[in-house]
Amino acid sequence: MKNNKPALALVTLSIAALAAAGCGNSMSNSSSGKSDSSPAPSTAPSSSSAAGKKEPVTLTFVISNTVDAAPYNKIFAEYEKKTGNKVELQALPGGDFDNMMKTRFSTGDFPDLFLMQPGTKQNVKLRAEETLKEWSGDSAVWSRIIPSMKEFQTTTTGKIYGVPFGSIGAYGVFYNKDVFAKVGVQPPKNYDDLIESAKKIKAAGITPFYEGVKDSWPPQIFYFTGWVSNVDPAIKDAGVQKLENNQMKLADIPELKDLFMKQKQIKDLGLYQNNVLAGTYDEMQNLMGDGKVAMAFMLDGIIPQLEKKFGKPFVTDKLGFFPFPSNTDAGTALMTPPNQLMIPTKAKHAAEAADLIRFMISPEMVNLYYQTQPGIPIFQNATSDLYPVQKTVKEFIDAGKAKVNVQNRLTPTFADFQKTLQTFFIDGDVDKALKEFSTNYEKDGKAKLLPGFQ
Amino acid sequence: MEKRKYPLYFSFPALAIFLLFFLTPTLIGFYFSFTDWNINADTIRFTGLDNYRELFREPRLKTALTNTLIFAACVTVLQNVCGLGLALILNEALKLRNLLRMVFFMPYVISPLVIGYIFRAIYHPENGVVNHLLQTFGLGFLAHDWLNDPKIALYSVIGTDVWRVAGFSMVVYLAGLQFIPKDLTESSAIDGAGYWSRFRSIIFPLLAPAFTVNVLLSMIGSMKVFEMVYVLTEGGPGYTTEVFFTYIRSMFSTGQFGYATAVNLMLFVLVTVVGVPVLLAMKKREVEM
């Protein structure tokens, strides 16, 4: 064994060195990200200004696969014609989009630009101050966008890290007008009226409501759209601010508990389809299109889906919308701001990506977008040929009877809400579901190290 | 027989790789389980037993623990029963014996993810093969939404995993059967012993080493199940099929790395606590030939 000593020492030394190197890297979450994370200077030479000198580049643009890529592809074709630069579109799975983006950021695999859900909570997720290009002072951009969208994007410290792009969306109750006409019911005047109409629809042999519990996310819509009509009027904006700081518990809001009880009531009255646990978003569209289902608590993403399946005339003539009614009136429509375009400061072609965004929000491209995908515009003087359901939403907005989704107003998320609701559909325990909903919200705030949650 | 001795340093390369790629990360992970390592924090602080205290207060972990143990117990038993049954049948002089051995082993070499996606289609309540077959044979009353009925979803996943891994057990048992001297079974047959007597008195005791390997591997493997549950049910509906690794994954995805590492370490302890006594008990009943 006397000859073993040098070899043993060498191996020990190598292991110690490698372990130390590993520890050194892992002991800090963000040190590498902070050193050179200042936003790209706004005075950086743009690719278009230097187009004559530079070789064309290919930009990578990441979107969720739940987003319709058609309008983007049209805009990018125009962009290529004008600059020679290409845009490679990468669609990531919608359910894992946020996690995949966080992973890409943590491994330094930055796209040149990406489209993400709206709201400043994304800034926390992506550590925006260190990683994303800041747009706060770009007046050329903000002069094109309606002021409320800018206000929505602005953080408490007055910073903006994303440029909104797309349309104002809506959650509410989408219904088949033919079914309503056949049964002789109208959009409801209040919640009791909705339940009475649903009972009449059931008596006529048609399923009043459909819920896609199997797909996890659809049952959440009931609560988000129910919130603006029932919870917001009770707790007001001050209450939402208290939730933001954990000074109020979700479990302590009676109106929220009432929403759980309302969903249980619909289930107990047999107003949902049979075997609600097996319900899917896809089947819901098919049954609603065929007139076998009257209504669904849903988001406006259903409009292009129904158009694909049943054609434009169906969406134009037979699809209706009304907000989730309150106990006393027809309710408030829920608005969702559009997605936001973001650029990592360390993106390979960050300057070209910024130019691309400026190109995308030019009046011609904005109109091209709305021609391809009609929606309620967020750009000044933009024109869009709205569907009747979208006109209905716009009427609510214009009448001041619309409010932004509470999820877009809060930094912590309603973590695992879909799981809570699946369990709720299994056991029907209102108190347990409300407690879990509230606890998970607090856990998310704590995990994000937000003030008030520690 | 004289045993030759080799110098100790022959083992150093393997030892170094083991230390570097297994022991060091394990020890580092052990340390991180006592920290508040979080994707949203700039620093990592030592927090003692905080993660473990929180972990034991989490009802979701209790569900995951229960489901993991049910899954491991069912898969271990069924995998070995099916594997042994197949091995005994395919140890006989059958036509197409080699082809059948390959067919039954094949699922084991396919990725669990791929199998998960295939079985999602097979279990589909309307278009799936299972319900169609039940209806064809007049057993339509047994048709289910196999992956969304909270009472049976876990067992549907168990069934799929048993189908995937039974072939592996079969191969190990087949190898064990080759080591049983033929003269023992043949002479007992001449003495008038029936197949069941031969199995009980000769084959079963002499297969003990294969049992030890199979039971231990299937138990450890099934306690670490992830892909199959994730693809088939994502731990749902609700938390009805939640297992340790789906819980760990969800904690990692929220950026709570320190806490998730603590849960991972709990799984390591659980596997050890269950595995070591089983190994000792099974080694005890092994017989020398």
Side-chain angles (χ1 to χ4, degrees):
Chain A
M1 286 296 288
K2 60 187 170 186
N3 291 335
N4 293 343
K5 280 182 182 169
L8 186 63
L10 189 66
V11 170
T12 312
L13 195 66
S14 308
I15 291 167
L18 283 164
C23 286
N25 283 337
S26 57
M27 287 298 285
S28 169
N29 275 343
S30 58
S31 57
S32 61
K34 274 192 165 176
S35 58
D36 52 352
S37 59
S38 55
S42 57
T43 53
S46 70
S47 64
S48 53
S49 62
K53 297 170 191 171
K54 285 186 178 176
E55 284 294 306
V57 296
T58 300
L59 302 172
T60 51
F61 177 45
V62 174
I63 60 169
S64 159
N65 64 2
T66 55
V67 173
D68 186 3
Y72 294 98
N73 285 331
K74 285 191 179 175
I75 292 172
F76 297 153
E78 296 297 319
Y79 176 69
E80 188 180 343
K81 268 189 226 165
K82 190 174 176 191
T83 63
N85 293 339
K86 289 182 180 173
V87 183
E88 182 193 289
L89 201 137
Q90 297 175 358
L92 301 182
D96 284 323
F97 185 83
D98 288 9
N99 287 334
M100 292 177 91
M101 285 311 297
K102 275 197 289 186
T103 307
R104 287 184 71 158
F105 268 62
S106 60
T107 55
D109 179 19
F110 298 108
D112 292 312
L113 73 163
F114 60 99
L115 189 73
M116 203 167 194
Q117 280 188 340
T120 55
K121 67 182 171 191
Q122 311 300 2
N123 299 339
V124 176
K125 259 183 213 161
L126 300 174
R127 302 171 75 88
E129 293 153 35
E130 300 157 24
T131 59
L132 295 174
K133 174 178 165 54
E134 193 195 325
W135 289 90
S136 320
D138 200 326
S139 55
V141 169
W142 299 113
S143 64
R144 296 273 310 118
I145 293 168
I146 58 175
S148 60
M149 287 300 120
K150 183 183 177 186
E151 283 163 30
F152 173 75
Q153 289 291 102
T154 311
T155 65
T156 48
T157 54
K159 303 280 176 69
I160 309 177
Y161 296 99
V163 176
F165 192 80
S167 317
I168 294 171
Y171 292 13
V173 185
F174 287 83
Y175 68 98
N176 185 317
K177 287 181 180 172
D178 277 358
V179 173
F180 270 40
K182 185 179 163 191
V183 180
V185 294
Q186 297 286 324
K189 297 179 186 69
N190 54 47
Y191 190 76
D192 285 344
D193 195 21
L194 175 68
I195 296 299
E196 288 311 309
S197 297
K199 285 177 182 170
K200 283 181 193 165
I201 291 166
K202 190 185 178 191
I206 297 165
T207 301
F209 298 106
Y210 188 99
E211 203 54 278
V213 182
K214 184 179 178 179
D215 282 345
S216 303
W217 64 266
Q220 300 176 100
I221 307 292
F222 183 92
Y223 295 86
F224 299 143
T225 188
W227 181 290
V228 293
S229 295
N230 295 272
V231 183
D232 270 325
I235 67 167
K236 311 212 180 319
D237 287 344
V240 175
Q241 266 311 304
K242 284 183 182 173
L243 286 173
E244 172 80 3
N245 303 320
N246 202 28
Q247 290 166 347
M248 181 192 269
K249 309 286 179 201
L250 285 165
D252 295 337
I253 304 173
E255 291 76 13
L256 181 57
K257 183 175 180 177
D258 189 50
L259 283 180
F260 280 91
M261 291 171 73
K262 282 184 161 88
Q263 194 172 50
K264 182 170 161 54
Q265 181 201 24
I266 293 177
K267 185 173 175 250
D268 291 347
L269 288 170
L271 300 177
Y272 282 128
Q273 84 276 17
N274 292 332
N275 199 1
V276 71
L277 284 174
T280 63
Y281 180 47
D282 186 58
E283 187 179 67
M284 183 265 285
Q285 295 161 31
N286 294 339
L287 294 178
M288 190 187 266
D290 288 339
K292 291 174 183 162
V293 160
M295 297 173 269
F297 300 92
M298 201 21 75
L299 43 80
D300 60 356
I302 194 176
I303 298 171
Q305 297 291 339
L306 286 172
E307 188 183 327
K308 269 183 204 164
K309 289 190 177 188
F310 297 96
K312 200 162 185 165
F314 175 86
V315 174
T316 308
D317 304 330
K318 300 191 175 173
L319 190 65
F321 170 90
F322 57 84
F324 189 116
S326 76
N327 290 338
T328 52
D329 68 9
T332 305
L334 181 153
M335 288 187 291
T336 54
N339 286 323
Q340 51 188 341
L341 293 161
M342 294 171 146
I343 298 174
T345 46
K346 287 187 179 174
K348 195 175 170 189
H349 304 299
E352 289 87 349
D355 281 348
L356 172 60
I357 289 180
R358 291 186 189 102
F359 178 78
M360 288 171 81
I361 64 168
S362 65
E364 300 77 28
M365 291 307 110
V366 162
N367 284 334
L368 179 61
Y369 177 88
Y370 291 126
Q371 274 167 25
T372 316
Q373 193 164 82
I376 301 167
I378 60 147
F379 295 97
Q380 314 267 19
N381 306 318
T383 53
S384 180
D385 191 11
L386 298 180
Y387 291 111
V389 276
Q390 291 168 327
K391 282 180 186 162
T392 309
V393 174
K394 191 155 189 313
E395 283 163 17
F396 277 94
I397 294 170
D398 293 343
K401 287 290 283 176
K403 188 123 182 116
V404 170
N405 183 9
V406 68
Q407 269 213 310
N408 298 125
R409 289 179 268 153
L410 293 168
T411 310
T413 58
F414 298 150
D416 286 331
F417 190 27
Q418 59 271 48
K419 290 264 183 191
T420 301
L421 289 177
Q422 280 187 334
T423 307
F424 181 51
F425 270 97
I426 293 166
D427 62 23
D429 189 332
V430 170
D431 291 324
K432 185 179 147 200
L434 182 63
K435 188 181 167 200
E436 188 173 292
F437 180 48
S438 187
T439 307
N440 285 349
Y441 174 77
E442 284 183 60
K443 277 184 188 168
D444 191 64
K446 194 177 171 188
K448 290 194 168 92
L449 310 174
L450 298 173
F453 289 86
Q454 295 303 299
Chain B
M1 194 171 71
E2 187 197 352
K3 282 189 179 175
R4 289 190 65 187
K5 288 184 178 173
Y6 293 93
L8 186 63
Y9 60 76
F10 271 27
S11 66
F12 282 178
L15 190 66
I17 290 169
F18 179 77
L19 285 173
L20 190 62
F21 293 110
F22 180 77
L23 205 61
T24 309
T26 304
L27 291 175
I28 292 172
F30 184 73
Y31 168 74
F32 279 127
S33 76
F34 295 100
T35 68
D36 64 352
W37 184 17
N38 185 310
I39 198 169
N40 298 300
D42 291 331
T43 55
I44 300 171
R45 288 180 304 128
F46 184 80
T47 53
L49 291 170
D50 279 6
N51 286 333
Y52 292 92
R53 268 194 285 272
E54 199 170 323
L55 192 151
F56 283 110
R57 284 200 296 262
E58 174 57 62
R60 203 171 148 190
L61 190 77
K62 191 180 159 197
T63 311
L65 173 67
T66 311
N67 287 338
T68 304
L69 290 176
I70 293 173
F71 187 92
C74 292
V75 169
T76 304
V77 171
L78 293 172
Q79 178 184 348
N80 282 282
V81 169
C82 296
L84 179 62
L86 287 171
L88 291 172
I89 293 166
L90 296 179
N91 198 39
E92 300 296 318
L94 299 174
K95 273 185 186 174
L96 303 176
R97 186 173 72 170
N98 289 340
L99 178 74
L100 287 171
R101 284 178 179 180
M102 189 192 74
V103 166
F104 284 113
F105 182 68
M106 226 158 42
Y108 188 72
V109 296
I110 303 173
S111 155
L113 286 173
V114 174
I115 290 175
Y117 282 115
I118 293 169
F119 269 78
R120 258 166 60 163
I122 288 173
Y123 284 134
H124 194 277
E126 282 93 37
N127 311 319
V129 176
V130 177
N131 282 354
H132 273 294
L133 281 176
L134 287 171
Q135 269 144 12
T136 307
F137 292 111
L139 299 169
F141 62 94
L142 291 175
H144 268 87
D145 188 352
W146 300 94
L147 298 173
N148 288 291
D149 184 336
K151 288 182 189 137
I152 56 169
L154 183 63
Y155 299 98
S156 303
V157 183
I158 287 170
T160 312
D161 205 50
V162 169
W163 177 83
R164 183 179 74 86
V165 292
F168 173 78
S169 288
M170 175 196 75
V171 169
V172 177
Y173 284 124
L174 274 172
L177 287 170
Q178 310 313 308
F179 282 101
I180 298 175
K182 277 205 169 140
D183 49 351
L184 269 180
T185 48
E186 282 169 2
S187 59
S188 62
I190 292 165
D191 290 343
Y195 186 83
W196 173 242
S197 300
R198 271 182 284 151
F199 175 75
R200 201 181 51 186
S201 309
I202 300 169
I203 299 172
F204 189 71
L206 293 178
L207 266 182
F211 261 106
T212 308
V213 171
N214 261 335
V215 169
L216 211 67
L217 287 181
S218 55
M219 208 179 64
I220 293 170
S222 52
M223 282 171 95
K224 295 195 304 178
V225 64
F226 173 67
E227 300 102 316
M228 198 59 84
V229 175
Y230 189 70
V231 176
L232 285 175
T233 62
E234 288 185 44
Y239 299 112
T240 49
T241 58
E242 179 98 299
V243 288
F244 254 95
F245 265 115
T246 51
Y247 181 59
I248 290 168
R249 183 226 175 239
S250 107
M251 290 301 106
F252 264 109
S253 71
T254 57
Q256 300 176 77
F257 302 138
Y259 178 76
T261 311
V263 183
N264 214 342
L265 212 76
M266 280 301 299
L267 179 61
F268 169 76
V269 171
L270 183 72
V271 170
T272 311
V273 165
V274 177
V276 170
V278 170
L279 175 66
L280 293 176
M282 298 206 70
K283 285 295 259 185
K284 212 179 268 183
R285 66 167 284 272
E286 285 181 14
V287 288
E288 289 278 340
M289 266 192 288

